[in-house]
Amino acid sequence: MTPEQYVQQKAASSGSSFYYAFLFLPAERRAAITAFYAFCREVDDVVDEVSDPGVARTKLAWWQNEVRSAFAGQPSHPVMQAMMPHVPTFGLKEESFQAIIQGCQMDLEQTRYLDFAGLQRYCHLVAGVVGEVSARIFGQTQEATTEYAHKLGLAFQLTNIIRDVGEDAMMGRIYLPVSELQQFDVKAHEILNRKYSDNFTQMMRFQAERAHRLYDEALALLPDADRRAQKPGLMMASIYRTLLREIERDNFQVLHQRISLTPLRKLWLAWKMQALGRM
């Protein structure tokens, strides 16, 4: 298996909404974003799939060294071998890859966030930086597009957090800020035991409204000159926002199940943005 085949398989097997947005890109950009997405999946899987925190830390440290070696011209992992030919083309920086690993390390050290400001710092590393790199690969020409990409990444991450409350609870993690649990009188043990209540639903509605505001703010920041190039991000926004509305329609029944869209629906939403420019 070549490095290119490896990253393609990694991206396709994830079933992620991101994959559907890549399908419409020109070949070189598609190859670059597929390799980058495979990198994000590799380091994220360390946290999600390795049960021993010590082993996970060792693996993330290995990835830090691998990124350093790759940017010094000696990649050994197929993901970095597939990634590095695209680095000069799109002006990608080692710091961005290290920041994403740093965000994954936070998952090993921290399972609670006191307030939204603290959660935002985490989201910046695992989603904002990802948005920034993606925007460059898609064909960013305007400086303001970076701010759009960061804010859209935050909206995506908050949507993930809303969707995954139950799954995260099974791993002992609660990403909803402690101050907001207190604001809505929701106890941590209720979430960890996956117990629904009116207070929980109200708190989740508050989370969803904030995510919707961030989608609106992000889209307002995107310069017209970059709108065409950034269509993959807009496809993802359409898919993620549709998912958020599905969760709202299901009254935030996220503690005992993972609400998702079918692959066909994701493909339809991506095509609609590509062909018609509509969410």
Side-chain angles (χ1 to χ4, degrees), residues 234-248:
L234 297 176
M235 291 177 200
M236 290 185 278
S238 179
I239 293 169
Y240 266 75
R241 207 164 188 183
T242 300
L243 171 63
L244 182 57
R245 291 185 180 117
E246 284 292 314
I247 293 169
E248 290 174 300

Side-chain angles (χ1 to χ4, degrees), residues 128 131-132 134-136 138-152 218 221-227 229-230:
E132 181 180 338
S134 299
R136 285 182 174 275
F138 296 154
Q140 174 180 352
T141 64
Q142 306 296 309
E143 191 62 37
T145 299
T146 299
E147 190 180 353
Y148 144 83
H150 274 280
K151 188 150 286 195
L152 191 60
L221 287 167
L222 178 59
D224 288 341
D226 271 359
R227 185 174 174 84
Q230 297 301 319

Side-chain angles (χ1 to χ4, degrees), residues 29-133:
R29 295 188 193 280
R30 185 169 68 246
I33 197 67
T34 299
F36 177 61
Y37 179 70
F39 165 79
C40 294
R41 283 258 49 89
E42 288 283 352
V43 295
D44 193 53
D45 286 350
V46 170
V47 176
D48 289 342
E49 296 178 3
V50 178
S51 56
D52 185 326
V55 173
R57 286 188 193 93
T58 300
K59 288 195 169 194
L60 287 179
W62 183 91
W63 273 106
Q64 287 175 318
N65 288 329
E66 170 64 9
V67 167
R68 274 194 291 273
S69 297
F71 275 83
Q74 294 181 307
S76 63
H77 194 281
V79 161
M80 297 311 294
Q81 289 172 346
M83 185 78 250
M84 293 315 294
H86 305 290
V87 163
T89 306
F90 301 109
L92 307 183
K93 303 285 194 295
E94 179 186 345
E95 307 90 83
S96 300
F97 290 79
Q98 297 290 5
I100 293 164
I101 298 171
Q102 186 185 344
C104 292
Q105 286 174 322
M106 286 181 71
D107 274 327
L108 300 176
E109 312 297 337
Q110 195 166 347
T111 58
R112 302 284 193 282
Y113 293 88
L114 291 177
D115 53 27
F116 185 62
L119 181 63
Q120 275 186 290
R121 284 190 288 276
Y122 165 74
C123 291
H124 165 74
L125 295 172
V126 298
V129 174
V130 173
E132 181 180 338
V133 172

